[in-house]
Amino acid sequence: MIGTIDTINISNTSRDAFDADFSNLIINEIKIVNAGNDCVDLSSGDYSIKYANLFNCRDKAISVGEKSQLILGSTKISESNIGLASKDSSFISVDNVKAISVVTCFSAYNKKQEFWGGKISIKKHNCKPDQIIVEKASLIEVIL
């Protein structure tokens, strides 16, 4: 799918709330409340989200994998296990993350052997160093 979506509102899902594969999407605003797994799951594509408000994501607020790229603007994540996860040769560039009651803010890792790790580049965040997990062949950087 290729295109622009103005607003996405999703609540009370038992699995992933928003899942996109093999797409090139620009999303102006996404709001998700109560996802049984990931709030946003993106793979094999290029994505842009200008504003995200994600609340009570049981697993990851945003998961990006399989050679994807995500450009992320202002993001608020509340009550989730993992805030942002980049895996399997994927890259997330984020302007601003406000995390509230999140176990792990950022996680970059390799899950599938045919890919490298993940990369996250962050301009501004409120996370503590012990809320950041970087595995081998991955990178999380804060750009000042």
Side-chain angles (χ1 to χ4, degrees):
M1 177 185 291
I2 296 173
T4 300
I5 301 170
D6 188 46
T7 305
I8 297 172
N9 286 302
I10 300 171
S11 42
N12 303 317
T13 63
S14 60
R15 295 195 172 102
D16 290 345
F18 180 81
D19 194 329
D21 301 326
F22 304 102
S23 298
N24 185 339
L25 294 175
I26 297 169
I27 300 168
N28 290 322
E29 180 177 358
I30 186 165
K31 294 181 182 180
I32 298 174
V33 176
N34 300 326
N37 195 39
D38 299 339
C39 277
V40 177
D41 188 347
L42 307 172
S43 63
S44 301
D46 291 317
Y47 304 92
S48 173
I49 299 174
K50 294 180 182 176
Y51 174 75
N53 187 351
L54 310 170
F55 177 77
N56 195 25
C57 312
R58 182 152 299 164
D59 191 14
K60 298 171 211 73
I62 298 177
S63 177
V64 179
E66 298 180 4
K67 292 186 179 179
S68 290
Q69 178 174 306
L70 171 62
I71 306 300
L72 189 57
S74 181
T75 305
K76 182 178 178 184
I77 300 167
S78 305
E79 297 185 29
S80 296
N81 185 37
I82 298 172
L84 303 179
S86 178
K87 61 187 180 287
D88 298 334
S89 303
S90 294
F91 172 65
I92 300 172
S93 174
V94 60
D95 286 336
N96 183 20
V97 174
K98 182 176 182 182
I100 302 163
S101 298
V102 174
V103 178
T104 301
C105 282
F106 310 115
S107 182
Y109 56 97
N110 175 246
K111 186 174 177 182
K112 297 179 181 177
Q113 67 183 29
E114 64 268 28
F115 297 104
W116 295 97
K119 180 178 178 183
I120 302 174
S121 181
I122 309 143
K123 290 183 182 170
K124 184 177 177 183
H125 69 88
N126 67 329
C127 299
K128 298 176 184 170
D130 66 344
Q131 292 177 297
I132 299 171
I133 298 173
V134 184
E135 293 186 1
K136 184 179 176 181
S138 297
L139 175 69
I140 295 177
E141 62 183 358
V142 177
I143 300 174
L144 303 174

